[in-house]
Amino acid sequence: AAFRAHYTLDNDLLSREQRQFYEDNGYLLIRNLVSDQDIERFRNEFTKICKREVNPPGVMIMKDESLKSQFGQSERVVNKVQDFQEDEELFRYCTLPEVLKYVECFTGPNIMAMHTMLINKLPDSEMQTFLHPMHQDLHYFPFRPASRIVCAWTAMERADQDNGCLVVQPGTHRTALKPHGYPDLEGKTNKLFHGLLEEDEKIPKVHLVMEKGDTVFFHPLLIHGSGINRTSGFRKSISCHFASSECHYIDVKNTTQEHLEKELQDMVSKKYNATSVELKVRLGSVPFVTNQVSSLS
């Protein structure tokens, strides 16, 4: 049968089997891609941010406030550091040649970093505070085409079912963007942890067991989430969404993404205590900081 590519671009890096796997499943796992040395540097910087030894501008630090009195400023409280593009040490992740060469297979040579996160999944209880419901990342992005956007997600230590590894529904990248909101988890919702309002339980779920340095690249329509961390340790990962700089913004008015935009804008204006914050808001889109990370053409 003739190989028909829709989600991957012609390249010398991926084998035909790897391309076919991504076409069919919407993700591709590359083992042992990021070095231990780099991961230790990211881990050290994360610890410094938690302790407020460094305070990069624009970084959003998400904490479990209920643990603060017990643990103060430490990694035992911070569950996510988001938008770290002004932190030189963490932003190195987005410029690693070994990551970008794979990214280019999906976005093409002009690559922008759109959204960055270091996730520190804290030990969880029956409260399921850090469960991330099944969702599609495109819900957060006001630009298209979706096929030229990809997430790179690197495990900073072993991730498995015990500590809440990624869970994916293979093949769902071929579906449309579905309505998202706060799923009804008996009142347990986390700010901006939107999820699918209706989940199709018939689609099989695959748990991505990953070792430190393993990196998965996935399509923004792939339905995925992560379970709770039932261990006493932390499950760290670092990720970036990349897009082709040829992507165009869409107007989210009257779409399923409209209420998210409002929530984000409210959060940002509260955080900076201002309405005049210079945000990159184009066509009334969600505030995303874009950083050109590579122009290989």
Side-chain angles (χ1 to χ4, degrees):
F3 177 68
R4 295 237 302 279
H6 180 59
Y7 303 105
T8 57
L9 299 168
D10 286 334
N11 63 81
D12 301 328
L13 180 65
L14 301 181
S15 68
R16 187 171 160 153
E17 288 70 29
Q18 285 175 313
R19 288 185 71 184
Q20 189 66 62
F21 188 88
Y22 190 90
E23 295 289 335
D24 294 342
N25 296 284
Y27 70 95
L28 183 64
L29 181 49
I30 305 294
R31 299 282 178 199
N32 202 16
L33 184 66
V34 178
S35 72
D36 284 5
Q37 185 189 355
D38 278 325
I39 284 173
E40 287 320 300
R41 284 179 63 174
F42 302 144
R43 190 187 304 278
N44 291 340
E45 186 69 1
F46 172 73
T47 305
K48 285 182 186 167
I49 290 172
C50 293
K51 292 178 177 167
R52 297 283 172 88
E53 288 170 20
V54 293
N55 193 8
V59 164
M60 194 186 271
I61 299 169
M62 301 196 182
K63 297 191 272 275
D64 183 335
E65 298 295 344
S66 66
L67 297 171
K68 213 162 150 185
S69 55
Q70 203 178 343
F71 298 118
Q73 305 278 9
S74 78
E75 70 165 355
R76 304 179 75 102
V77 176
V78 175
N79 63 310
K80 195 190 276 187
V81 168
Q82 195 164 300
D83 301 329
F84 55 64
Q85 63 282 341
E86 298 298 326
D87 183 291
E88 208 174 309
E89 190 62 9
L90 290 183
F91 194 70
R92 279 183 56 253
Y93 173 74
C94 307
T95 63
L96 290 176
E98 59 271 36
V99 171
L100 286 178
K101 70 180 187 186
Y102 280 99
V103 168
E104 193 193 351
C105 300
F106 309 105
T107 61
N110 292 317
I111 305 168
M112 292 193 299
M114 306 306 297
H115 182 230
T116 52
M117 284 194 299
L118 193 154
I119 296 163
N120 183 43
K121 196 181 267 282
L122 302 173
D124 216 340
S125 58
E126 287 315 300
M127 292 297 291
Q128 302 198 359
T129 314
F130 305 113
L131 176 87
H132 202 148
M134 299 300 275
H135 64 284
Q136 295 164 302
D137 288 341
L138 193 66
H139 173 65
Y140 295 94
F141 299 132
F143 37 86
R144 300 293 183 272
S147 56
R148 299 284 80 92
I149 302 171
V150 71
C151 179
W153 191 103
T154 299
M156 290 175 62
E157 50 231 321
R158 181 180 161 86
D160 53 33
Q161 271 176 273
D162 290 339
N163 65 5
C165 64
L166 280 180
V167 181
V168 299
Q169 288 185 303
T172 47
H173 65 304
R174 294 196 295 259
T175 59
L177 180 60
K178 296 174 168 40
H180 287 61
Y182 289 117
D184 184 14
L185 294 170
E186 294 147 47
K188 306 177 187 121
T189 58
N190 296 314
K191 208 76 177 130
L192 292 180
F193 275 53
H194 289 185
L196 294 178
L197 293 176
E198 285 182 22
E199 230 184 281
D200 186 346
E201 296 295 346
K202 293 192 293 293
I203 304 173
K205 288 181 178 164
V206 174
H207 288 81
L208 298 183
V209 176
M210 294 166 68
E211 299 295 340
K212 181 173 164 185
D214 289 357
T215 303
V216 63
F217 296 89
F218 62 89
H219 188 285
L221 282 170
L222 180 74
I223 296 175
H224 66 288
S226 63
I228 69 171
N229 177 1
R230 300 172 197 281
T231 70
S232 56
F234 305 94
R235 192 227 68 192
K236 288 186 186 60
S237 60
I238 187 166
S239 72
C240 178
H241 275 87
F242 296 93
S244 161
S245 46
E246 278 88 69
C247 281
H248 57 274
Y249 279 79
I250 59 162
D251 191 342
V252 297
K253 293 269 174 295
N254 304 319
T255 70
T256 57
Q257 292 175 264
E258 187 172 12
H259 65 289
L260 170 72
E261 166 184 300
K262 188 168 173 352
E263 189 176 349
L264 267 171
Q265 287 170 343
D266 290 349
M267 269 179 72
V268 170
S269 54
K270 257 200 208 91
K271 176 177 155 68
Y272 296 106
N273 199 10
T275 46
S276 61
V277 185
E278 276 249 328
L279 295 173
K280 188 156 193 169
V281 182
R282 305 221 303 238
L283 302 186
S285 70
V286 177
F288 272 101
V289 180
T290 61
N291 288 57
Q292 188 83 19
V293 283
S294 151
S295 183
L296 308 171
S297 55

